[in-house]
Amino acid sequence: MYEMVRSVNLWHTVVLPPTKVKEMTTEMSTRLAKGRTRKNDPERVQADIMRVATQEFSEKGLSGARIDEIAEKTRTSKRMIYYYFKDKETLYLKALERSYQQVRQQEEALDLDHLEPVEALTRLVAFTFEHHLNSPDFIRMVMIENIHHGRFIEQSDLIQTLNAGAVNELEKVYQRGVDAGVFRPNLEAIELHWLISALSFFNVSNRYTFSRIFSWDQSAPENQQRLASHVVEMVLRYVLKKPGHSDPAI
Amino acid sequence: MYEMVRSVNLWHTVVLPPTKVKEMTTEMSTRLAKGRTRKNDPERVQADIMRVATQEFSEKGLSGARIDEIAEKTRTSKRMIYYYFKDKETLYLKALERSYQQVRQQEEALDLDHLEPVEALTRLVAFTFEHHLNSPDFIRMVMIENIHHGRFIEQSDLIQTLNAGAVNELEKVYQRGVDAGVFRPNLEAIELHWLISALSFFNVSNRYTFSRIFSWDQSAPENQQRLASHVVEMVLRYVLKKPGHSDPAI
DNA sequence: TTCATAATGTACGAAATGGTACGTTCAGTC
DNA sequence: GACTGAACGTACCATTTCGTACATTATGAA
């Protein structure tokens, strides 16, 4: 009985053609038929759950996401979600952590040390802007977490550790620029980071309302390019000692 | 029976001291006692519901908010919510519209026409920044709406109409500045508005995660002041033809 | 092989939740 | 005063939703 139901629900629908279901079913009900057995694969199961959960939470929020729906979209069952993740909130926290982790990984690919300060800063800002643009799920998770007053991120030491390095990169570039006499002094790296983040984040987080309110298709490629230029220009103008470099006039 | 229960649930708990409840109850159960009668006050009821609903939705989101809880915090009943607002989503849309309306009202108080361009722009940016800071509920509603892909704001012509004027103000100031030779030309008012909005919005929307991640108390008054200065400075430097005016050195 | 424990599946329960059926009262009009 | 539609209240229902009890299988160690 157990074998039968499980086979129908999971395996056959995935692995076997539908026409086979009926005959296999009866065959299977004779307990432990053939060599076909269940495979335990904890890592795969957990990864699968995390993948789906991240998607669902980022799309619908903590209260909007449904455990049953997550389970359905998974190759495993609801039982397994609770087995590995305790409850809905823990699952959400893990998904949040995963989002930060993935983003941080990509960020680390950026290597600025060999570039001169102005070039490095330009690169950093442009990269951040585009990177946010390509990580809407992450942006949404952060939005959702802020709706929850950061109640979950507070519990996560992992996330804090992860992002500590982000400002350091900027700090190094900025300091090199100051030393070289091209950046004006007395700016705080974290505040600079705040400014860059704000512009890049808002571009994704508020695209729907902004576009709608001003009847302006913010997502249109030409507008995205203009915005990207604006952001880069704006930060540079703010940091540079003299706005000497060419005026791109957009 | 009906009279009794209603009185206990709503009126007495609000209007009368608790000790009076018991005796009034029996008294009331003799149908239509004394001159005490129900008052119909549709406007008040609706306003009351809107007030509570806005609070709840902005705090917990569309799916997180509970109709029962909204009803409880109201002076009226759940029945009235459905009577006036059809269903949860309609109520949410109305709350969203209300949020935009209120914010827009305050914005209109700003009168920039009599100021010279630089002063006017400075004022506008500073005002926007502070205004957002003082409207966290509005910010949250917008965040939530973006989580929903702007699905509801799409249905609202009201909101679009409301905000059309916001960019106009900026446009006027900018044009005056260009004509006076103090602002550089070829910038789009809407894109300028986008930049100002991004910085002001992010300051509120992401305060929790940002503070947590970088162990930096963004809400601390001194930091808020520094950020405000940065934002104003940044926009001015971007728009001004020459960054001639004093360097506040933050 | 035996056995212990980890991993997995099924079915179900209790509470929460959006929404409604049904009734009563209010307030203005004739 | 009678009447009518708007305004309001109570109790309830159907469904959803998180979570769990219980049973079974997989897998590695002794």
Side-chain angles (χ1 to χ4, degrees):
Chain A
M1 166 59 175
Y2 159 60
E3 265 297 308
M4 176 190 80
V5 178
R6 189 201 50 183
S7 299
V8 170
N9 280 354
L10 298 179
W11 288 20
H12 290 183
T13 53
V14 174
V15 178
L16 299 175
T19 52
K20 284 273 180 181
V21 172
K22 195 57 175 295
E23 76 186 70
M24 283 299 282
T25 302
T26 51
E27 192 178 324
M28 288 306 237
S29 64
T30 66
R31 298 280 267 194
L32 257 182
K34 306 294 141 61
R36 194 172 286 283
T37 67
R38 185 186 85 201
K39 276 285 172 46
N40 285 355
D41 194 345
E43 270 116 33
R44 185 193 178 93
V45 167
Q46 289 178 63
D48 195 24
I49 293 174
M50 282 303 290
R51 201 195 81 248
V52 177
T54 305
Q55 249 175 238
E56 286 294 303
F57 281 127
S58 102
E59 188 59 29
K60 316 201 181 150
L62 172 53
S63 43
R66 300 292 166 230
I67 293 285
D68 286 282
E69 206 172 328
I70 293 175
E72 260 178 34
K73 295 185 178 173
T74 298
R75 211 164 306 164
T76 177
S77 67
K78 183 162 70 162
R79 177 68 180 79
M80 285 297 94
I81 295 175
Y82 286 97
Y83 184 68
Y84 285 118
F85 298 97
K86 186 171 178 251
D87 57 18
K88 195 185 185 186
E89 297 201 343
T90 303
L91 180 61
Y92 166 79
L93 175 58
K94 288 282 160 52
L96 183 66
E97 287 182 337
R98 180 172 173 274
S99 297
Y100 271 98
Q101 217 157 5
Q102 286 188 340
V103 162
R104 193 72 196 109
Q105 266 174 8
Q106 295 174 47
E107 279 177 359
E108 268 162 10
L110 198 62
D111 179 31
L112 303 170
D113 291 340
H114 66 288
L115 297 174
E116 50 133 359
V118 177
E119 179 63 22
L121 184 56
T122 303
R123 183 84 169 268
L124 176 63
V125 177
F127 172 83
T128 303
F129 190 84
E130 195 184 323
H131 183 251
H132 277 67
L133 189 59
N134 293 328
S135 311
D137 285 0
F138 166 71
I139 302 284
R140 296 172 66 85
M141 286 300 277
V142 175
M143 291 169 75
I144 289 163
E145 177 60 8
N146 273 291
I147 288 293
H148 291 283
H149 299 268
R151 190 176 112 222
F152 297 90
I153 211 179
E154 263 177 21
Q155 306 164 33
S156 172
D157 296 322
L158 171 64
I159 294 180
Q160 201 179 6
T161 310
L162 274 174
N163 283 70
V167 177
N168 285 346
E169 294 292 314
L170 176 59
E171 168 75 45
K172 277 191 295 182
V173 172
Y174 173 67
Q175 208 45 250
R176 281 200 292 130
V178 172
D179 294 344
V182 290
F183 292 166
R184 65 193 177 107
N186 298 324
L187 294 175
E188 293 285 341
I190 187 156
E191 290 169 3
L192 230 41
H193 179 76
W194 185 95
L195 293 168
I196 297 167
S197 294
L199 297 168
S200 304
F201 195 97
F202 183 86
N203 184 45
V204 182
S205 68
N206 286 49
R207 51 171 48 154
Y208 297 106
T209 53
F210 202 91
S211 288
R212 166 66 179 164
I213 289 174
F214 301 107
S215 306
W216 181 66
D217 185 4
Q218 183 186 315
S219 300
E222 69 268 25
N223 287 334
Q224 276 299 306
Q225 275 200 327
R226 290 175 60 93
L227 285 177
S229 300
H230 279 309
V231 169
V232 172
E233 264 295 289
M234 196 167 182
V235 173
L236 281 172
R237 274 183 183 251
Y238 191 57
V239 177
L240 285 176
K241 215 160 197 171
K242 294 192 178 182
H245 66 112
S246 72
D247 221 86
I250 298 292
Chain B
M1 166 58 175
Y2 158 59
E3 264 300 305
M4 177 189 81
V5 177
R6 190 201 52 181
S7 299
V8 169
N9 281 354
L10 297 178
W11 289 19
H12 289 182
T13 51
V14 174
V15 177
L16 300 175
T19 51
K20 283 272 178 182
V21 172
K22 195 58 174 291
E23 75 186 69
M24 282 299 283
T25 301
T26 51
E27 192 177 323
M28 287 305 238
S29 64
T30 67
R31 298 280 268 197
L32 258 183
K34 302 297 139 61
R36 195 170 286 281
T37 66
R38 186 186 84 201
K39 276 285 172 45
N40 284 356
D41 194 344
E43 269 114 35
R44 187 194 176 92
V45 168
Q46 289 178 63
D48 195 25
I49 293 173
M50 282 304 288
R51 201 195 79 248
V52 177
T54 304
Q55 248 175 238
E56 286 294 303
F57 281 127
S58 102
E59 187 60 28
K60 318 203 180 146
L62 172 54
S63 44
R66 300 291 166 229
I67 292 284
D68 285 282
E69 207 172 328
I70 293 174
E72 260 178 35
K73 294 186 179 171
T74 298
R75 213 165 304 165
T76 177
S77 66
K78 183 162 69 160
R79 175 70 179 78
M80 285 297 95
I81 296 176
Y82 286 98
Y83 183 68
Y84 285 118
F85 299 96
K86 186 172 178 251
D87 56 20
K88 195 185 186 186
E89 296 201 342
T90 303
L91 179 62
Y92 166 79
L93 175 57
K94 287 283 160 51
L96 183 64
E97 287 184 335
R98 180 173 174 273
S99 296
Y100 271 97
Q101 217 158 6
Q102 285 188 340
V103 162
R104 193 71 197 110
Q105 265 173 9
Q106 293 174 50
E107 279 177 0
E108 270 164 7
L110 198 61
D111 178 33
L112 302 170
D113 291 341
H114 66 288
L115 297 174
E116 51 132 0
V118 177
E119 180 63 22
L121 183 57
T122 304
R123 183 86 168 268
L124 175 63
V125 176
F127 172 83
T128 303
F129 190 85
E130 196 184 322
H131 184 249
H132 277 67
L133 189 59
N134 292 329
S135 312
D137 285 359
F138 167 71
I139 303 283
R140 297 172 65 85
M141 285 301 277
V142 176
M143 292 169 74
I144 289 163
E145 177 60 8
N146 274 291
I147 288 293
H148 291 284
H149 300 269
R151 191 176 112 221
F152 297 91
I153 210 178
E154 263 178 20
Q155 307 164 33
S156 171
D157 295 322
L158 172 65
I159 294 179
Q160 201 180 6
T161 310
L162 275 174
N163 281 72
V167 177
N168 284 345
E169 293 291 314
L170 177 57
E171 169 75 44
K172 278 191 294 181
V173 172
Y174 173 66
Q175 209 46 250
R176 282 200 292 130
V178 172
D179 294 344
V182 290
F183 292 166
R184 65 192 176 109
N186 297 325
L187 293 175
E188 293 284 343
I190 188 156
E191 290 169 4
L192 229 42
H193 179 75
W194 185 94
L195 293 168
I196 298 168
S197 294
L199 297 168
S200 303
F201 195 97
F202 184 87
N203 184 46
V204 182
S205 67
N206 286 49
R207 53 171 46 155
Y208 297 105
T209 52
F210 201 92
S211 288
R212 168 63 180 167
I213 288 174
F214 300 107
S215 305
W216 181 65
D217 185 4
Q218 183 186 314
S219 299
E222 68 267 25
N223 287 334
Q224 276 298 308
Q225 276 201 327
R226 291 174 60 93
L227 285 177
S229 301
H230 280 308
V231 169
V232 172
E233 265 296 290
M234 197 168 182
V235 173
L236 282 172
R237 273 182 184 251
Y238 191 56
V239 177
L240 284 176
K241 217 158 195 172
K242 294 191 176 180
H245 65 113
S246 72
D247 222 87
I250 291 293

